[in-house]
Amino acid sequence: MLRSLLPFPILLVGLVLWAPGNQAQHCRLVPKQQVQLGTIPQAPLSGAGNNTSSGSVQPSQTAPTSTSTSPSAMPFNYGKDTIRGVNLGGWFVLEPWITPSIFENTNNSDIIDEYTFGQMLDPDYALDVLQNHWNSWITEDDFIAIKTAGLNHVRMQIGYWSVPITSDYTNYTTSVSPYVPGAWPYLLRALNWAKSHTVHVILDLHGAPGSQNGYDNSGRRGSANWAQGSNVNRTLDIIRFIAEQVGGMIDVLELLNEPAGYQSDIGGVVSGYWQDAYHAVRQVAGTSLKVMIGDAFLGVGNWDGFLTAPSAQGVLMDYHEYQVFNYNQLGFSQDEHITSSCQVLNNLKAYASSNLYTVSGEWSNAITDCAKWLNGRGVGARWDGTWQSGQQVFGSCDGYSGDSSTFSSDYKKFLRKYWESQVAIGEAVQGWIFWTWKAENADDWSYQKGLSGGWIPQDPTNRMYPNICS
């Protein structure tokens, strides 16, 4: 339970948050009007509907001030218009490499993810830190800057522990301990900012019960236990709740980020989950809300003919491409990084031509794993040999990550070329979303720093190397 309580009701996007004296009363949610399901062709996908559905907030949460809930004036024409966007990583799901200061300030090296952050800290302190972070890491000014940079989408991450589902909407536990909930009101405010500045939103369930991949970006580093017990069914109820509550405020709902399909138990349930979650969204949000799935690390070819029209519609495929997490790719020359990007382009284009609309939903400018704690808090880099002894060492990390003031002009020139090669992937299919907008000390991963540093153009359609993959 959160310790920060309001002594008075606040109206947030049409929902009253009651003071502690009313805690015994459930927050009753009003379902959206059901939309008749149909068999709309896959191409093109229409944008999100204009219904604005508000989200519920648990009585004990402190809410930021609400802004207007008027929807975007123009829906996005998926399949015709190109998605050009950026992830807002590290905001509602902590990642130690994006905001290392939050973890360093705990003075406890055993705090390695959001799970241990809630588990090992005083609840009042943890909540205070998180509320300050939710209130300041991304602000309305960032949405304005994103729009000014010519981008039309943000992909926003949420952990299941921040979704205020109640026992009225699930037969499974609603406990999220030891996670610290409370981000939901800040998410609602962010959705209003996006609407105000005509930035379209992909909302991504980034962390599921049990962890879908064992990465710290799922909320809990270690074992991936999502396929165990009731976790999958619990996730279905959470997705249904999200779709019902904010389906009218977002354009695309991503059913789960990066489930570890290479792990046999998860690989055995993920296709069924995609199907069940798709139908759950359709039941409560109709056909205007688009649905996004991922390749679960199995490659898009594994999903040939899956959730395609006419049995399903309004589904997009999310593909993630990084070239820094294995020794073979770290050994690439700069030209080989470009070549690898162009090979991905051809693979995705072939898939998208006869399957789902496809988005390159995560990628970065990094060609090393040198960003501090990229591989986990307290874990070094493969690049300089600090990750594991006895492995290949590629050189010093100096000048490759961290503060871009250390980047050489030649390196910045390459970063521009590499950025264009990866943008070419997304432009060849249905779009792209860079990871991530900002990071405390990893400028090779920051779109914001790329803009100010000159290796990302102010206009994302500007090309210095227009035929880079020709």
Side-chain angles (χ1 to χ4, degrees):
M1 176 181 291
L2 301 182
R3 270 65 175 174
S4 182
L5 302 174
L6 294 174
F8 49 85
I10 285 183
L11 185 66
L12 177 65
V13 203
L15 179 78
V16 174
L17 308 188
W18 292 101
N22 292 315
Q23 284 183 359
Q25 179 180 351
H26 286 294
C27 292
R28 273 295 178 188
L29 307 177
V30 181
K32 291 173 60 181
Q33 182 179 359
Q34 294 298 312
V35 180
Q36 181 66 38
L37 302 184
T39 54
I40 299 173
Q42 178 73 351
L45 306 183
S46 62
N50 287 335
N51 291 335
T52 303
S53 177
S54 62
S56 69
V57 185
Q58 293 170 331
S60 58
Q61 292 174 347
T62 298
T65 302
S66 174
T67 57
S68 170
T69 62
S70 59
S72 299
M74 183 67 66
F76 195 80
N77 196 347
Y78 293 95
K80 182 177 179 181
D81 299 332
T82 301
I83 296 171
R84 299 183 177 107
V86 66
N87 285 277
L88 303 184
W91 191 11
F92 299 130
V93 178
L94 294 181
E95 297 193 35
W97 74 270
I98 296 179
T99 54
S101 68
I102 288 179
F103 290 83
E104 290 169 334
N105 290 341
T106 66
N107 296 313
N108 185 343
S109 61
D110 290 330
I111 296 176
I112 58 173
D113 51 27
E114 196 154 344
Y115 184 92
T116 50
F117 188 88
Q119 182 182 51
M120 298 183 179
L121 292 176
D122 172 78
D124 293 322
Y125 171 80
L127 177 59
D128 184 62
V129 170
L130 288 172
Q131 287 179 331
N132 287 335
H133 172 69
W134 296 329
N135 201 44
S136 63
W137 180 245
I138 300 292
T139 69
E140 187 171 11
D141 287 342
D142 289 292
F143 282 85
I144 294 170
I146 288 165
K147 183 69 174 182
T148 301
L151 303 178
N152 53 39
H153 275 72
V154 290
R155 180 171 175 260
M156 297 170 58
Q157 293 67 42
I158 192 76
Y160 81 92
W161 55 91
S162 296
V163 179
I165 189 170
T166 69
S167 57
D168 293 337
Y169 293 88
T170 182
N171 291 324
Y172 303 99
T173 180
T174 59
S175 171
V176 298
S177 179
Y179 288 108
V180 179
W184 188 257
Y186 299 86
L187 169 67
L188 297 180
R189 182 176 65 178
L191 296 180
N192 284 318
W193 288 338
K195 295 289 185 183
S196 295
H197 300 289
T198 61
V199 176
H200 299 277
V201 175
I202 299 170
L203 183 59
D204 150 39
L205 183 62
H206 216 67
S211 176
Q212 73 275 17
N213 54 35
Y215 305 151
D216 57 16
N217 59 52
S218 73
R220 188 175 189 182
R221 182 174 127 193
S223 299
N225 296 317
W226 177 61
Q228 304 303 310
S230 62
N231 288 330
V232 174
N233 287 333
R234 187 179 175 192
T235 307
L236 284 170
D237 285 351
I238 290 167
I239 280 291
R240 182 181 293 107
F241 182 90
I242 294 172
E244 183 177 282
Q245 295 305 300
V246 298
M249 300 177 73
I250 63 178
D251 298 83
V252 181
L253 177 56
E254 184 158 5
L255 303 179
L256 187 60
N257 179 68
E258 295 184 348
Y262 52 80
Q263 185 172 301
S264 60
D265 60 343
I266 292 177
V269 302
V270 68
S271 64
Y273 170 74
W274 290 150
Q275 292 171 318
D276 291 344
Y278 165 80
H279 289 296
V281 172
R282 289 285 168 261
Q283 287 168 3
V284 299
T287 57
S288 61
L289 177 61
K290 307 312 166 214
V291 170
M292 182 173 275
I293 65 172
D295 72 341
F297 298 104
L298 300 174
V300 292
N302 190 73
W303 302 98
D304 187 59
F306 185 77
L307 283 179
T308 53
S311 59
Q313 94 291 322
V315 184
L316 297 93
M317 171 62 73
D318 180 19
Y319 179 82
H320 297 175
E321 169 69 8
Y322 295 115
Q323 299 180 17
V324 300
F325 292 114
N326 65 65
Y327 285 94
N328 289 340
Q329 290 180 314
L330 286 173
F332 286 171
S333 67
Q334 291 185 350
D335 286 343
E336 286 171 332
H337 279 290
I338 303 295
T339 299
S340 181
S341 295
C342 296
Q343 290 172 343
V344 170
L345 183 157
N346 293 328
N347 292 338
L348 292 190
K349 189 174 181 180
Y351 169 81
S353 67
S354 59
N355 282 278
L356 302 178
Y357 290 149
T358 303
V359 180
S360 180
E362 286 191 24
W363 56 278
S364 83
N365 262 130
I367 58 169
T368 75
D369 62 340
C370 288
K372 180 179 179 180
W373 295 347
L374 179 65
N375 296 306
R377 184 180 186 185
V379 180
R382 298 169 185 84
W383 184 266
D384 65 359
T386 57
W387 184 68
Q388 191 175 37
S389 62
Q391 300 290 339
Q392 182 178 0
V393 176
F394 301 93
S396 170
C397 281
D398 294 345
Y400 283 105
S401 190
D403 192 322
S404 57
S405 65
T406 67
F407 295 178
S408 69
S409 58
D410 285 345
Y411 183 47
K412 289 181 180 179
K413 182 178 179 180
F414 166 74
L415 291 178
R416 172 60 181 263
K417 191 174 184 180
Y418 189 39
W419 181 87
E420 290 200 20
S421 76
Q422 296 188 90
V423 164
I425 298 172
E427 296 282 337
V429 285
Q430 280 65 56
W432 51 268
I433 310 168
F434 185 91
W435 187 279
T436 184
W437 175 242
K438 60 187 291 191
E440 285 182 346
N441 191 33
D443 290 359
D444 48 333
W445 290 81
S446 169
Y447 202 98
Q448 185 184 61
K449 291 295 185 180
L451 289 170
S452 62
W455 63 85
I456 295 179
Q458 300 295 321
D459 177 353
T461 65
N462 179 279
R463 298 289 181 273
M464 293 179 64
Y465 310 96
N467 301 312
I468 196 166
C469 286
S470 299

